Amino acid sequence: MDILKNPTTVKMLATQLIIACDSYIALKMPEKQFKELITYYASQHGKKLFSREGLNPTVTIRIGKKRVELVQIMLSGFQMRLCD
């Protein structure tokens, strides 16, 4: 499975999240690797992944309700840094 770690746009990030979620659901990716990828996206690409209300609306619409739930479960307990 080819998952891009550094997507350049919000739409590309959403596509990579779909690939990762589907691989995890199909048991092709271990939970630890999936969680590491999601937290990497959150820490390195937080401006693309998040908005003031939570997940970016573009990401939410593109990946769908069930994948959003899965991403939120993986991000439980995650806290972004305030300063770079």
Side-chain angles (χ1 to χ4, degrees):
M1 90 199 96
D2 295 325
I3 297 176
L4 189 61
K5 291 230 8 174
N6 295 304
T8 56
T9 65
V10 174
K11 290 179 182 179
M12 193 182 294
L13 176 65
T15 302
Q16 297 307 308
L17 284 171
I18 289 171
I19 293 168
C21 288
D22 290 350
S23 295
Y24 172 72
I25 291 168
L27 302 175
K28 295 179 182 175
M29 178 186 289
E31 183 174 346
K32 182 179 179 186
Q33 183 182 0
F34 180 62
K35 186 167 186 146
E36 287 172 358
L37 180 67
I38 299 300
T39 55
Y40 177 82
Y41 284 153
S43 63
Q44 299 299 316
H45 302 285
K47 290 182 180 179
K48 293 178 195 145
L49 185 60
F50 299 112
S51 69
R52 291 188 189 273
E53 295 80 36
L55 285 178
N56 186 326
T58 302
V59 171
T60 302
I61 290 167
R62 289 191 169 264
I63 70 173
K65 186 177 181 179
K66 295 193 185 222
R67 290 188 194 103
V68 166
E69 260 183 57
L70 188 57
V71 169
Q72 288 175 337
I73 289 169
M74 291 298 140
L75 287 174
S76 66
F78 175 80
Q79 185 172 354
M80 284 186 66
R81 294 176 285 155
L82 293 177
C83 302
D84 286 322

